[in-house]
Amino acid sequence: TDYLRHQGYPWNHKRIRRVYRALSLHLQRKPKKRLPVRTVHPLVVPNQANQTWSLDFMSDTLSDGRTFRTLNVLDDFNREALWIEVDTSLPAERVVKVLEQLIFWRGKPAHLRMDNGPELISQRLETWARQQQIELRHIQPGKPAQNAYVERFNRTYREDILDAYLFDN
């Protein structure tokens, strides 16, 4: 209203609101999700295997246009890809199931380093990690260099696998 008044239009706030709603401009803005303050954990090479695992998601499309996602789990000590889970949907429950299978196979890590994706900040994952006595280390939003080991793996995986082949299913 103030903007239009400064432009020289004599309309009152009721008329502006009516036109605004008639044009379907009354959609509410989605508020930003407040994340807790993330402490910076330096990116160091662990002393042994199974000390810190890094998790990250990647997306790509099938040949028919449907999207799929991959969950990549990496051991930071030797940069070994422990698991790549592929599906069209990977909710938090599925992430927990993959981590339980990995723990059964490899043993329990002390830390999990990950970004702030919706699956990775879920209550389900946090309660599971608390029960398993595993520390979740979330990187700061917009700072992928804090999870550099898995980001480097993602680049190689994208170039050598996802971009090199067309997948039908």
Side-chain angles (χ1 to χ4, degrees):
T1 303
D2 292 338
Y3 175 78
L4 291 173
R5 284 267 175 93
H6 283 39
Q7 296 295 321
Y9 296 104
W11 306 322
N12 64 11
H13 68 279
K14 294 177 283 187
R15 174 179 282 192
I16 292 172
R17 183 174 175 87
R18 188 172 62 244
V19 171
Y20 189 78
R21 285 184 175 263
L23 293 174
S24 297
L25 299 175
H26 62 284
L27 302 175
Q28 294 195 1
R29 292 188 189 136
K30 195 176 198 180
K32 278 193 166 186
K33 185 167 185 161
R34 301 280 184 202
L35 293 174
V37 176
R38 304 296 187 194
T39 58
V40 180
H41 300 285
L43 189 63
V44 295
V45 179
N47 299 332
Q48 60 187 11
N50 285 349
Q51 202 169 12
T52 304
W53 293 351
S54 295
L55 283 75
D56 200 14
F57 284 96
M58 293 181 69
S59 295
D60 201 9
T61 57
L62 298 172
S63 58
D64 63 0
R66 292 182 299 152
T67 61
F68 68 92
R69 298 182 78 196
T70 66
L71 168 66
N72 302 331
V73 183
L74 205 73
D75 190 342
D76 287 356
F77 173 69
N78 51 12
R79 315 299 198 281
E80 178 185 2
L82 302 177
W83 198 279
I84 299 174
E85 185 77 9
V86 181
D87 206 344
T88 54
S89 174
L90 293 169
E93 189 64 39
R94 184 87 173 268
V95 173
V96 169
K97 188 184 292 187
V98 166
L99 291 173
E100 284 176 347
Q101 290 174 342
L102 265 175
I103 288 173
F104 177 74
W105 178 53
R106 292 277 302 217
K108 184 167 55 170
H111 314 287
L112 291 175
R113 180 180 287 116
M114 60 194 78
D115 58 11
N116 295 290
E119 300 88 358
L120 302 176
I121 61 170
S122 68
Q123 289 294 321
R124 173 68 179 111
L125 184 64
E126 288 187 20
T127 55
W128 174 84
R130 203 172 317 121
Q131 291 169 353
Q132 296 288 328
Q133 297 172 344
I134 298 174
E135 180 187 354
L136 297 180
R137 291 185 171 177
H138 293 278
I139 64 171
Q140 292 175 309
K143 307 269 185 171
Q146 293 176 359
N147 202 4
Y149 298 136
V150 75
E151 294 293 341
R152 173 64 178 92
F153 171 78
N154 286 349
R155 187 181 110 201
T156 304
Y157 183 64
R158 171 142 332 262
E159 290 173 353
D160 294 347
I161 306 295
L162 297 179
D163 290 346
Y165 299 98
L166 283 175
F167 299 101
D168 294 328
N169 58 24

